[in-house]
Each structure stands twice: as structure tokens, then as C-alpha cells.
Amino acid sequence: MAKQIQEFLGMDEKKDKPQSKVYYLDDILDKDPTLYCPNCDSCKIQLLHTHNEDGYDYQCNKCKFLYEIILCNRGDDF
Ligand SMILES: [Zn+2]
């Protein structure tokens, strides 16, 4: 059976592309996302200095999960 080019190159889309997610103030999480990674529960969180005017960008040092906390509710207009 024919393969995709990325299989020959040994590229795994999930592994090579860091996952990312946006959270809003009305999202409900088990743990504080400023202290624990919402993806793997690691506490090695880095606050990225990306000059995001709408919120804060974080990245987990362990699983490289990238996430953004937007300081408004999902239904609000920007
Ligand atoms: Zn993580």
C-alpha cells in the first residue's frame, strides 16, 4: 500500500507540530493553568513574552503544549 511522504520522512504530524489551545475565562479546568500544564499536568510552565494584548501565552517545557489564556469570556466581542 502506498504511503504518504511524511511517513517516508519519519514525520509524525502530532509529534512535530506542538499542540496548541486557547482558553477563555469561562472555561473550566481541573487545575490552575498558570501553574500546571492542562495537557500533561507538569508544573514546568513558561510564560511567553509575546506581547499578547488579549491575554497570556504559556508553553509547557515538558510536552511543548502551547496555550493562550484570553482575558474575556468566549461569547464576548473583542
Ligand atoms: Zn505539558
Side-chain angles (χ1 to χ4, degrees):
M1 202 170 132
K3 287 182 177 180
Q4 279 187 290
I5 295 169
Q6 67 176 28
E7 289 182 73
F8 289 113
L9 297 176
M11 288 165 65
D12 184 334
E13 209 183 320
K14 277 182 211 145
K15 228 189 287 167
D16 292 330
K17 214 192 291 169
Q19 284 184 285
S20 66
K21 198 167 178 179
V22 177
Y23 294 99
Y24 297 87
L25 288 185
D26 56 355
D27 277 324
I28 296 166
L29 296 171
D30 289 333
K31 288 182 177 172
D32 186 342
T34 64
L35 299 175
Y36 297 95
C37 170
N39 192 48
C40 73
D41 282 351
S42 163
C43 58
K44 303 221 183 312
I45 300 300
Q46 201 188 141
L47 177 59
L48 304 176
H49 301 282
T50 46
H51 305 285
N52 187 341
E53 285 179 20
D54 302 316
Y56 300 102
D57 294 316
Y58 294 89
Q59 185 166 31
C60 173
N61 281 341
K62 195 179 166 200
C63 71
K64 304 296 173 199
F65 182 63
L66 197 68
Y67 59 104
E68 191 178 338
I69 298 175
I70 300 287
L71 300 175
C72 74
N73 291 334
R74 198 185 297 267
D76 288 354
D77 289 319
F78 276 88

